[in-house]
């Protein structure tokens, strides 16, 4: 096993490992070459958790996506015919981006690219930044081989953001927004030549060529970042935030709300058990200080659709209902609170941490995130198998696991037995001869 495969296995959770195996099996059946690329590789090499899996295939992407869907009941969420990519969602909620290895040509800055099938090496050289131009082969003959034609690994070690080509920002001005996002998210410096390219693009006013579709796409990506407020502030400093809405400046940029959200995320333990609609939370805070007219203008500019807004629109009402349930006496026991919150969408829990003024609600949610959820994550299938003969993955096994978790959460730790103090030692007997010896 290569070092990079070993590193990958240590960064994936159980659900992602299953998805990786499914993708490799489907690619092998279709006789096409498959590579792990983009954000998944970047985050692994930087040391961040891998949230979404990005794959590139040398061959028809739609055919492989359909094969994956047929194998595992995966949902094809969206298809981008221009960029030759497909977004997939597996039954367990794991998301996958699958793209065709391609070369892109831009007729002018900001224009939709014309994509042609290419090799993985050509695809990597045509990407935005070198840190995103790294691939790991998942093919039987070369599994674990790292492909890095632009020395992105060296830039990760140097903590630098460098454009993969001299025309990266000129061809696709949307990458200027991405550059600022990566700078804040990763804490990297911008390489001197790339900084010059950025300044030249700004002087040429190329930010005006960024389409509404691209703005909406970038807004969704910012929403997924735990430090989304810091990114918005950086865009404000670069005078790029008015591209989304001229109203987003000064007091109307909800920095206080985003700072509280960032602190709330820091309470969430790592692991796949906590799922949240980040876009719903992000939009609520982004829209909170805007007038209805300003919100409508932002939605129109970025091309946000009904599906994007649905979670945001029902979030506050759902969270208020949850607040009443968390306050009730019915969830005083740890297992009852765990049962309630483990079935609750994560965005409602985080919303209450940000907005609820009820101390009891805050304390109970913090106990769930910092005590009960980590304790539940420690329960293994072996622990459950010790009390049931049900097979893992069956409803009976899941019910038994919940019972084991409840018992663990409600069991009070035994008080240590009091330590009996030994009686004080008797003073030494000093004989007359001993006295003489001491003298």
């Amino acid at each position: 096993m290569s070092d990079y495969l070993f590193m990958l296995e240590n960064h994936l959770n159980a659900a992602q490992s299953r998805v990786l195996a499914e993708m490799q099996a489907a690619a092998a059946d279709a006789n096409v070459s498959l590579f792990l690329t983009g954000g998944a590789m970047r985050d692994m090499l930087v040391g961040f958790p891998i949230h979404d899996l990005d794959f590139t295939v040398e061959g028809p992407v739609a055919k492989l996506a359909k094969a994956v869907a047929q194998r595992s009941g995966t949902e094809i969420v969206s298809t981008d015919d221009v960029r030759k990519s497909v977004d997939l969602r597996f039954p367990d909620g794991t998301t996958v981006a699958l793209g065709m290895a391609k070369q892109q040509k831009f007729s002018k800055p900001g224009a939709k690219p014309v994509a042609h099938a290419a090799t993985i090496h050509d695809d990597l050289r045509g990407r935005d930044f070198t840190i995103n131009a790294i691939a790991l082969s998942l093919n039987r003959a070369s599994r674990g081989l790292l492909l890095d034609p632009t020395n992105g690994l060296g830039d990760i070690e140097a903590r630098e953001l460098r454009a993969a080509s001299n025309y990266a920002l000129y061809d696709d001005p949307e990458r200027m927004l991405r550059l600022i996002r990566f700078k804040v998210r990763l804490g990297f410096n911008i390489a001197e030549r790339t900084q010059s390219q950025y300044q030249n693009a700004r002087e040429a006013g190329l930010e005006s060529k960024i389409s509404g579709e691209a703005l909406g796409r970038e807004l969704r990506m910012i929403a997924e970042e735990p430090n989304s407020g810091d990114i918005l502030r950086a865009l404000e400093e670069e005078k790029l935030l008015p591209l989304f809405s001229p109203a987003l400046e000064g007091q109307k940029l909800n920095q206080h709300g985003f700072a509280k959200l960032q602190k709330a995320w820091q309470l969430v333990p790592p692991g796949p058990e906590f799922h949240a609609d980040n876009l719903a939370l992000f939009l609520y805070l982004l829209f909170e200080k805007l007038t209805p007219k300003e919100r409508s203008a932002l939605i129109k500019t970025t091309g946000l659709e009904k599906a994007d807004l649905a979670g945001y629109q029902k979030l506050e009402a759902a969270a208020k209902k949850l607040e009443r349930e968390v306050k009730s006496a019915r969830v005083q026991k740890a297992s009852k609170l765990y049962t309630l919150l483990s079935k609750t969408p994560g965005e409602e829990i985080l919303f209450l941490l940000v907005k609820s003024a009820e101390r009891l609600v805050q304390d109970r949610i913090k106990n769930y995130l910092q005590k009960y959820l980590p304790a539940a994550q420690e329960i293994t299938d072996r622990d459950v198998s010790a009390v049931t003969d049900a097979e893992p993955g069956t409803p009976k096994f899941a019910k038994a696991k919940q019972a084991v978790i409840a018992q663990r959460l409600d069991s009070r730790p035994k008080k240590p037995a009091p330590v009996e103090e030994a009686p004080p030692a008797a003073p030494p007997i000093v004989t007359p001869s001993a006295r003489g010896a001491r003298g």
Side-chain angles (χ1 to χ4, degrees), residues 81-141:
D81 293 328
V82 174
R83 289 174 172 78
K84 310 297 182 185
S85 63
V86 176
D87 290 328
L88 305 171
R89 183 184 294 113
F90 280 72
D92 60 11
T94 303
T95 55
V96 162
L98 176 64
M100 181 185 76
K102 57 189 176 294
Q103 280 187 315
Q104 300 183 110
K105 292 187 177 180
F106 297 82
S107 59
K108 58 182 179 179
K112 289 187 177 182
V114 177
H116 302 283
T119 66
I120 184 63
H121 290 86
D122 291 332
D123 179 279
L124 295 175
R125 289 190 185 96
R127 296 203 170 203
D128 51 4
F129 307 107
T130 60
I131 62 169
N132 292 332
I134 307 172
L136 187 69
S137 174
L138 300 174
N139 307 299
R140 189 172 301 169

